[in-house]
Amino acid sequence: MTRRLVLCAALLTLLAAAALADGILIPGPPERPEPEVPYFTIKYHHVDVEIRDQVATTVIDQVFINEANREVEATYIFPLPPNSVVQDFAVEADGERMESKLLEADEAQEIYEEIMRRRKDPALFQYAGNDTYRCRIYPIPAGGERRIVITYSELLNQDADVVDYMYPMSTEQFSTEPVGETVFNCSIESRDPIASVYCPSHDVSIDKKDRRHATVSYEENDTRPDRDLQLYYAVSQDAVGTHLLTYKERGDDGFFMLLAAPSVDQDTDPLPKNVVFVLDRSGSMSGEKIEQARDALTFCVNQLGEDDHFEIVTFSDNIRSFGDELQRVTSSRVRDARRFIAEQEAAGSTDINSAMELAMDRRTDDRPNYIVVLTDGLPTAGVTDLDDILANVQEWHEDMDGASTRIFVFGVGYDVDTHFLDKMAVDNNGVAAYVRPEESIEAKVSSFYSKISRPMLTDIGLDFGAIDTYDMFPKELPDLFWGSQIVALGRYDKRTTGTCSVSLSGQTPEGSETFSVRARFPSRATGRDYIPALWASRKVGWLLDEIRLHGEKKELVDEIVRLGTEYGILTEYTSFLATETGAITEEEAVDRLRGPQGAMGAAGPLATERMGGYAISQRDNAQAMQVQTNVATQNMYQDAEGHWQRVANIRNVGQRGFIQQGEQWVDSRLRVGSEDELQPELQVQAFSEAHFQLSRAFPTVNAQLAVADNMLVLVNGHVIQIGDEGKTELSADELGALGLTDEGEADVGAAPIEPETQVGGGGLLGGLGRALAGLWIGIRSLI
């Protein structure tokens, strides 16, 4: 057994891998692709992944349709990300095993370039430099279908207890029509307890069945996926698993993402808590509102833990409470509480101030206090000045400074003042949510309460040791509940790098505890380029809320415009980027802000509203950005009716944004400035040798070159235009002027990526990596 563990440890030290890509079916043989034949249409695309202790087995099932009016031979190419370690790669076409060949990076590059030259499609740039499997598929009849099933196993990279898997779905853009059905299912089994499961790329469904099993699923229809699916899971023996991911560019401060989640079983007892429910029963709540509110409150009471204490306060122009103090949870008191809830009828005016005073008085300092408020209107009795009420609540909060208190507010309908309710919640460490007229109060409140019903870590503190961090969002970490996780993003100073201990502390069911993890804050360039864009979205969301709640300041607007421009983030303050052509000076940008309408279909941001559908949408847009955990929802917004819309002419590529202006895509960093800054220093003809020279010399910009064949892009600070006209070949001096080093390697503003401990890729080392991976996969069942 000892020798077996030593062997496994050695293999784990030697081996790590990125994941595989989805395949592309190209019309024609590889040496002679047929540009006049359209890409095949993907009828469906099903992916089933089973991950067991870092070994992933992936099964891909696709049906391709030949849209041409004649029989076509096809080439199936399957690009491998750098350093991938693959075993047992098999291709079946309509049940028949097909012979496949592994092409090393240089040979694959030649094939990609030839396909792009002939088909005039830049999308394959994103795979330049990758090893690739190639398989020739027998002719497909006109209008016919070909089912292809691929199975492969791979060893996944584990870095600091974080295992990553990637499945690039972006190859589905090589489908003539939108993909009819895309389904991704992944099951994870781990010997070590699973703490966090996180997908930064897609809005997936995650179900942690127990400490060692989790499932991830994603489904969409009639779409053309344009980004790779990235999946991480973290393992930890601690009750709260804490992990850190980073991103760094040369010369700049770094970015970090902190993940924290309980890794305990579902039957672990949560922290006992105090919960005070505050229900508005004024006349405006009559009818269906009060009925749904009663049902929601009944659900919440039924979810109370046996060690919890609770109280119910209802208000109109008079205040009623269920008891004279906090109540213990017993079967008889819960039954009495349900009866008390059922007796509540809507009548009278609204005295929020008195209700909040009684609720705050019920708190104790020996356990976390949660106050859940549900109201549909403005105060009309007692203290009615909103600022006075906020000041009173804050004063009551401070009167019991040692009590951990969070206020959660639900605003019902369009007659609520979003600024007032948001401030009440945010100033007291909570959040506000809004129920539109067409939405169910019961469903929204019940869903929310289910998430906060079982606290596992409260009063959270975070210590980064000697690392100087700043601009972390959220500004204050929320309590951690069973089944939830904290995702925090921030920056670290480039002058404070290295490995240190990051500590997360707080109150657990066992008392005060600290959970630490050794984390590396690199000084050189690293991967995970989705982190900067997510951080920027969160900061922009926080800045928008600062303006919405506390008034507009020039420095806040300037920072929103800067971040929105650099990362291609759509807001009320950068919507002009998507509608105007040419460069925009800073002065002109301010003028756009005062325009009557922006791209988001709302009055200019200076006309901030407090009530109504648009006020709720404006607030929801800012809140969505502040809690954003994946890039799939970037550049989506809620309209005044609460429907989510996507802006099609803005794309995020890595940590950069591109905006479509007519037929041309423009690097968003070029959209604010002078006309001179839009003048290209170099013009390159698309699909010429010069185009491919840029790809080979500057591999870190290949994802950006794949955006379009008519574009303005920044390469190492130089503006380059790619289009129908321009240079067809670049001299060594011209490449050198763009930043080539003496060694002939491109300097594009980022140092070579710091390698993880990994073996793979092409050549002898790649062969060794694949051999060792095969050995590991082969003995997996023995350990």
Side-chain angles (χ1 to χ4, degrees):
M1 181 65 177
T2 301
R3 293 177 58 192
R4 185 180 300 164
L5 292 176
V6 170
L7 175 60
C8 294
L11 284 170
L12 286 173
T13 301
L14 285 171
L15 294 178
L20 270 288
D22 175 20
I24 308 163
L25 197 62
I26 302 292
E31 66 278 0
R32 205 174 61 259
E34 302 184 35
E36 72 282 359
V37 178
Y39 285 123
F40 298 94
T41 294
I42 301 175
K43 184 177 181 179
Y44 69 75
H45 178 193
H46 295 169
V47 184
D48 289 294
V49 184
E50 181 183 277
I51 300 175
R52 295 183 62 198
D53 295 321
Q54 288 184 248
V55 176
T57 300
T58 302
V59 179
I60 307 165
D61 185 354
Q62 294 171 292
V63 168
F64 294 87
I65 303 174
N66 177 13
E67 302 286 1
N69 56 9
R70 63 178 177 84
E71 183 180 77
V72 177
E73 181 181 347
T75 301
Y76 193 83
I77 55 178
F78 199 93
L80 312 181
N83 304 304
S84 57
V85 180
V86 181
Q87 190 73 11
D88 300 330
F89 185 87
V91 180
E92 291 185 1
D94 292 338
E96 182 178 352
R97 179 75 176 255
M98 311 299 291
E99 181 181 352
S100 58
K101 177 184 178 182
L102 176 63
L103 308 177
E104 304 295 348
D106 290 344
E107 186 179 359
Q109 175 98 9
E110 293 177 5
I111 289 178
Y112 288 140
E113 291 182 6
E114 183 61 26
I115 292 172
M116 286 189 281
R117 282 192 186 97
R118 289 177 176 267
R119 298 194 65 89
K120 307 299 182 187
D121 186 344
L124 282 173
F125 271 119
Q126 62 192 302
Y127 304 114
N130 294 7
D131 291 354
T132 298
Y133 274 101
R134 184 187 72 191
C135 181
R136 179 167 291 181
I137 304 297
Y138 296 132
I140 303 175
E145 298 182 355
R146 179 72 76 183
R147 183 186 180 199
I148 295 179
V149 178
I150 296 176
T151 304
Y152 61 86
S153 298
E154 56 180 317
L155 181 65
L156 303 180
N157 174 48
Q158 177 168 320
D159 180 24
D161 293 328
V162 178
V163 181
D164 62 274
Y165 174 90
M166 183 176 73
Y167 185 82
M169 287 186 171
S170 57
T171 54
E172 294 189 0
Q173 63 191 291
F174 298 97
S175 176
T176 300
E177 300 294 333
V179 180
E181 181 182 79
T182 301
V183 178
F184 176 91
N185 288 303
C186 176
S187 63
I188 303 170
E189 179 182 333
S190 173
R191 280 188 171 87
D192 296 322
I194 298 171
S196 301
V197 182
Y198 174 63
C199 179
S201 59
H202 291 72
D203 190 13
V204 300
S205 173
I206 297 173
D207 181 17
K208 285 177 60 179
K209 297 182 178 299
D210 54 46
R211 297 185 70 190
R212 291 174 170 78
H213 297 84
T215 59
V216 180
S217 59
Y218 173 76
E219 183 172 345
E220 59 182 357
N221 298 318
D222 298 321
T223 58
R224 201 184 297 272
D226 61 354
R227 62 175 52 87
D228 302 334
L229 191 146
Q230 295 173 297
L231 182 64
Y232 296 88
Y233 71 91
V235 296
S236 176
Q237 296 289 347
D238 292 336
V240 175
T242 306
H243 302 87
L244 199 94
L245 307 175
T246 58
Y247 176 85
K248 178 78 167 63
E249 287 188 359
R250 173 183 290 170
D252 293 336
D253 288 349
F255 299 82
F256 68 85
M257 172 186 284
L258 177 83
L259 302 175
S263 54
V264 296
D265 287 326
Q266 187 173 3
D267 57 3
T268 301
D269 291 333
L271 271 164
K273 62 185 180 296
N274 298 330
V275 187
V276 181
F277 302 102
V278 182
L279 173 64
D280 182 349
R281 53 175 172 79
S282 62
S284 58
M285 284 286 292
S286 62
E288 187 176 1
K289 283 184 186 180
I290 194 65
E291 292 177 8
Q292 287 195 21
R294 287 194 297 251
D295 291 341
L297 193 51
T298 300
F299 173 88
C300 295
V301 168
N302 288 335
Q303 297 299 308
L304 290 167
E306 61 181 16
D307 294 323
D308 292 340
H309 296 163
F310 75 102
E311 173 64 292
I312 303 170
V313 175
T314 70
F315 68 95
S316 58
D317 46 24
N318 59 80
I319 312 300
R320 298 176 188 167
S321 64
F322 172 58
D324 296 328
E325 58 183 1
L326 286 169
Q327 305 293 302
R328 294 183 179 276
V329 175
T330 65
S331 58
S332 61
R333 292 309 284 157
V334 169
R335 185 167 54 250
D336 292 342
R338 289 197 294 259
R339 187 179 302 114
F340 175 80
I341 294 168
E343 294 171 351
Q344 302 307 304
E345 298 291 342
S349 50
T350 309
D351 185 357
I352 296 177
N353 187 80
S354 298
M356 291 305 300
E357 181 178 17
L358 179 58
M360 297 292 280
D361 185 60
R362 290 289 194 260
R363 297 172 300 146
T364 65
D365 59 6
D366 59 340
R367 54 176 61 192
N369 299 273
Y370 299 138
I371 298 176
V372 182
V373 183
L374 193 150
T375 182
D376 78 333
L378 295 170
T380 56
V383 178
T384 58
D385 184 89
L386 301 183
D387 290 335
D388 288 345
I389 296 174
L390 292 173
N392 289 340
V393 173
Q394 194 63 33
E395 181 180 343
W396 297 326
H397 190 159
E398 294 169 357
D399 283 346
M400 192 180 292
D401 192 44
S404 170
T405 305
R406 297 187 184 275
I407 296 179
F408 302 99
V409 182
F410 286 89
V412 179
Y414 288 150
D415 295 330
V416 294
D417 187 307
T418 58
H419 292 197
F420 167 63
L421 296 184
D422 281 346
K423 287 179 181 179
M424 181 185 292
V426 171
D427 291 349
N428 293 277
N429 311 316
V431 295
Y434 296 91
V435 186
R436 294 173 184 270
E438 69 276 9
E439 294 180 315
S440 167
I441 300 172
E442 180 184 2
K444 203 152 190 175
V445 175
S446 301
S447 174
F448 166 80
Y449 187 76
S450 294
K451 296 174 183 176
I452 69 163
S453 62
R454 304 188 63 204
M456 305 305 297
L457 186 69
T458 64
D459 301 328
I460 298 176
L462 186 59
D463 183 4
F464 288 93
I467 303 299
D468 185 8
T469 64
Y470 64 97
D471 269 358
M472 189 181 78
F473 302 97
K475 290 287 187 180
E476 180 180 337
L477 294 180
D479 291 346
L480 189 56
F481 302 93
W482 192 91
S484 70
Q485 66 181 3
I486 291 173
V487 180
L489 293 111
R491 305 292 306 268
Y492 68 90
D493 193 312
K494 61 187 176 185
R495 296 167 297 183
T496 58
T497 59
T499 301
C500 74
S501 179
V502 176
S503 299
L504 191 75
S505 59
Q507 298 297 317
T508 75
E510 306 302 322
S512 181
E513 291 193 51
T514 298
F515 306 96
S516 299
V517 61
R518 295 293 290 174
R520 183 168 58 95
F521 292 83
S523 58
R524 302 180 62 209
T526 59
R528 302 186 176 113
D529 61 3
Y530 57 84
I531 294 179
L534 289 177
W535 170 84
S537 288
R538 289 199 174 193
K539 182 166 185 178
V540 168
W542 180 80
L543 291 168
L544 288 172
D545 251 1
E546 286 294 294
I547 290 174
R548 187 174 64 89
L549 298 179
H550 305 295
E552 188 171 76
K553 296 179 181 178
K554 182 179 184 302
E555 59 268 25
L556 300 182
V557 175
D558 289 347
E559 183 68 355
I560 290 173
V561 172
R562 184 188 71 81
L563 291 170
T565 301
E566 181 172 354
Y567 295 97
I569 300 170
L570 182 73
T571 70
E572 294 98 323
Y573 290 92
T574 54
S575 60
F576 60 84
L577 295 175
T579 57
E580 298 287 344
T581 58
I584 305 290
T585 67
E586 291 185 5
E587 292 76 14
E588 289 173 325
V590 174
D591 290 340
R592 298 300 190 278
L593 302 184
R594 291 173 168 82
Q597 289 287 325
M600 299 178 76
L606 302 184
T608 300
E609 297 183 27
R610 300 173 66 106
M611 302 174 66
Y614 171 62
I616 292 176
S617 293
Q618 189 183 48
R619 179 264 179 201
D620 285 350
N621 288 329
Q623 286 292 310
M625 297 177 79
Q626 290 185 66
V627 299
Q628 191 165 25
T629 57
N630 64 74
V631 296
T633 55
Q634 276 191 323
N635 295 325
M636 296 184 68
Y637 66 94
Q638 269 193 341
D639 58 24
E641 286 74 41
H643 302 129
W644 286 97
Q645 309 289 345
R646 182 181 293 278
V647 178
N649 62 339
I650 294 182
R651 289 183 60 184
N652 297 94
V653 180
Q655 74 275 32
R656 299 301 176 211
F658 283 84
I659 299 169
Q660 188 176 26
Q661 299 292 332
E663 297 297 321
Q664 187 178 62
W665 286 84
V666 180
D667 191 315
S668 61
R669 292 168 291 177
L670 299 172
R671 291 292 291 117
V672 175
S674 67
E675 285 289 349
D676 291 339
E677 292 177 355
L678 274 179
Q679 299 305 312
E681 301 171 47
L682 177 66
Q683 290 181 282
V684 171
Q685 186 180 96
F687 309 113
S688 67
E689 178 61 19
H691 200 178
F692 298 119
Q693 282 178 287
L694 288 175
S695 167
R696 298 176 209 132
F698 299 91
T700 58
V701 300
N702 273 328
Q704 297 171 35
L705 293 179
V707 169
D709 56 9
N710 183 356
M711 66 187 306
L712 276 178
V713 60
L714 270 176
V715 176
N716 201 25
H718 300 276
V719 182
I720 297 178
Q721 177 175 309
I722 297 172
D724 293 336
E725 300 178 352
K727 294 269 188 179
T728 58
E729 189 169 354
L730 300 178
S731 67
D733 289 342
E734 288 171 319
L735 284 172
L738 297 177
L740 285 180
T741 66
D742 292 339
E743 291 76 22
E745 295 179 347
D747 177 6
V748 293
I753 299 243
E754 282 194 355
E756 312 289 354
T757 306
Q758 56 190 13
V759 178
L764 177 62
L765 192 60
L768 175 61
R770 279 185 284 274
L772 290 174
L775 179 59
W776 163 253
I777 293 169
I779 67 172
R780 164 62 183 80
S781 60
L782 301 177
I783 59 176

